[in-house]
Amino acid sequence: MIQQIQTEIEQLKRQLDVAVMAHSYQGQEILEVADAVGDSFQLSKQAQVCSQSRILLCGVYFMAETAKLLSPDKQVYLAHPGAVCPMAEQFTPEQIMAERAKHPGCKVVAYINTTAALKAVSDVCVTSSSAEQIVRNLDADEILFIPDCNLGSYVQSRVPEKKIYLLPGGCPVHASVEPEELSAARAQYPEAEILVHPECRKEITAGADFAGATSAIMQYAKQSDRKAFIIGTEISITEHLQVDCPDKRFYNLSKKLICPDMKLTTLMDVLHTLRDISGGQAQEILIPAQIQQAAQRSIEEMLRLGA
């Protein structure tokens, strides 16, 4: 049955000129019908250069918005309209502008995991893999880093010459990992290296063998000569690495590392959305022109500074 659904998806993709972009946290059956797989910003760049005129994003809402920001002339859809990111929507633009006013002269650095409206009131965007380099290159000594205090704290440890102001925000999934879980995993699998996402708390990143973006974690595990790894990010990455590297062992750092919003999207959601596109009933991602232009500037600055 899954193969039949995947076959119809492939047919509709060709008929409708649709490219399916799937975040790495999606299920294996969705990755198998995707035209591109990766982190959120990787997908947006793939959407920008692909030949298709329509993009179907399998992930959460801010990712579809970011794809639209980079490809304003393409039609962009989200496979499950209810899939959002709690971290991306933790603050309002008004709150960030008020915080900025407390620190005259600072620049606002927005994690890519934010809404278009937050990007629009920021000076530059960053990804988890480019944050350190961009903060270091940014022409400002004082920075308001939003929304993830854990990623911001990690960047502060790497760029101590800058003063970084943080807000109490972040990814509730990654932040749920406790130091006791890291110690227990290390004791249970002493032969394994621990690879974690910098959205985890600083006690976790400090105790791990490697901290990096999802794509960096996967690359590290694939290229390493080691044969066992404990994965400290969304548990789907453990599954994907098990499939990609059958000669290696991968274990979850915590069973709490499950993103409920990422798990909303199913293979049938992809099929239903394609059918809705065909029938003219799908909900297209649209961004007001003023927000689109301001948010695009923060992304352009990110590309200039080294993303």
Side-chain angles (χ1 to χ4, degrees):
M1 186 63 181
I2 289 178
Q3 288 184 336
Q4 292 176 352
I5 297 171
Q6 290 175 323
T7 297
E8 185 175 351
I9 287 172
E10 295 289 353
Q11 292 171 344
L12 285 171
K13 281 168 49 181
R14 291 190 294 270
Q15 292 172 14
L16 301 170
D17 197 33
V18 173
V20 172
M21 304 285 163
H23 191 272
S24 303
Y25 293 171
Q26 296 293 297
Q28 190 69 30
E29 70 281 359
I30 293 176
L31 268 55
E32 290 172 358
V33 296
D35 296 278
V37 177
D39 292 350
S40 58
F41 192 59
Q42 289 176 327
L43 295 179
S44 296
K45 290 193 289 186
Q46 288 292 324
Q48 189 178 32
V49 300
C50 75
S51 61
Q52 290 89 335
S53 61
R54 292 180 171 128
I55 304 300
L56 176 53
L57 200 292
C58 300
V60 294
Y61 190 81
F62 85 81
M63 297 176 188
E65 275 193 328
T66 307
K68 184 66 176 179
L69 289 174
L70 266 68
S71 303
D73 297 328
K74 295 185 178 184
Q75 293 179 308
V76 178
Y77 304 90
L78 183 63
H80 195 301
V84 298
C85 173
M87 172 169 57
E89 302 183 1
Q90 279 176 322
F91 301 105
T92 65
E94 292 75 19
Q95 287 175 306
I96 299 308
M97 291 171 69
E99 286 295 324
R100 180 176 198 155
K102 297 177 183 178
H103 309 287
C106 79
K107 289 197 173 180
V108 179
V109 174
Y111 191 19
I112 198 72
N113 296 28
T114 48
T115 63
L118 285 177
K119 291 179 177 71
V121 297
S122 302
D123 294 290
V124 62
C125 288
V126 297
T127 65
S128 51
S129 58
S130 69
E132 177 185 342
Q133 178 182 355
I134 290 175
V135 166
R136 183 174 283 113
N137 292 342
L138 192 61
D139 183 21
D141 293 326
E142 297 187 5
I143 290 161
L144 174 61
F145 191 100
I146 65 169
D148 189 348
C149 62
N150 291 317
L151 177 59
S153 176
Y154 177 76
V155 174
Q156 178 71 90
S157 71
R158 307 287 292 181
V159 193
E161 65 270 23
K162 299 289 180 81
K163 173 62 177 177
I164 300 180
Y165 300 105
L166 303 173
L167 299 177
C171 171
V173 175
H174 284 103
S176 70
V177 181
E178 302 285 348
E180 293 78 12
E181 293 177 288
L182 186 135
S183 298
R186 181 83 73 183
Q188 186 172 4
Y189 308 109
E191 77 285 5
E193 283 191 301
I194 300 180
L195 318 180
V196 304
H197 198 285
E199 289 175 18
C200 292
R201 291 153 54 184
K202 61 183 179 181
E203 300 94 331
I204 305 302
T205 56
D209 298 294
F210 176 82
T214 302
S215 58
I217 288 174
M218 297 185 76
Q219 182 180 33
Y220 183 101
K222 290 177 181 180
Q223 295 180 350
S224 174
D225 293 333
R226 299 288 288 269
K227 293 298 183 181
F229 303 89
I230 297 164
I231 304 300
T233 189
E234 221 280 341
I235 63 171
S236 56
I237 298 304
T238 303
E239 178 188 1
H240 300 329
L241 284 169
Q242 288 171 340
V243 172
D244 294 342
C245 307
D247 60 325
K248 297 180 178 181
R249 294 294 183 98
F250 297 93
Y251 310 100
N252 295 317
L253 175 57
S254 170
K255 63 182 179 182
K256 295 182 293 188
L257 284 166
I258 301 175
C259 177
D261 281 282
M262 281 291 186
K263 292 295 183 282
L264 284 177
T265 304
T266 67
L267 193 65
M268 281 304 302
D269 287 327
V270 179
L271 179 55
H272 287 318
T273 305
L274 287 168
R275 289 173 175 173
D276 287 344
I277 293 172
S278 180
Q281 298 175 322
Q283 183 177 351
E284 186 180 349
I285 301 295
L286 299 173
I287 302 173
Q290 186 174 359
I291 292 177
Q292 173 97 17
Q293 293 170 3
Q296 279 178 323
R297 285 196 294 271
S298 68
I299 292 178
E300 289 168 0
E301 183 69 355
M302 173 174 69
L303 296 173
R304 186 184 74 83
L305 289 171

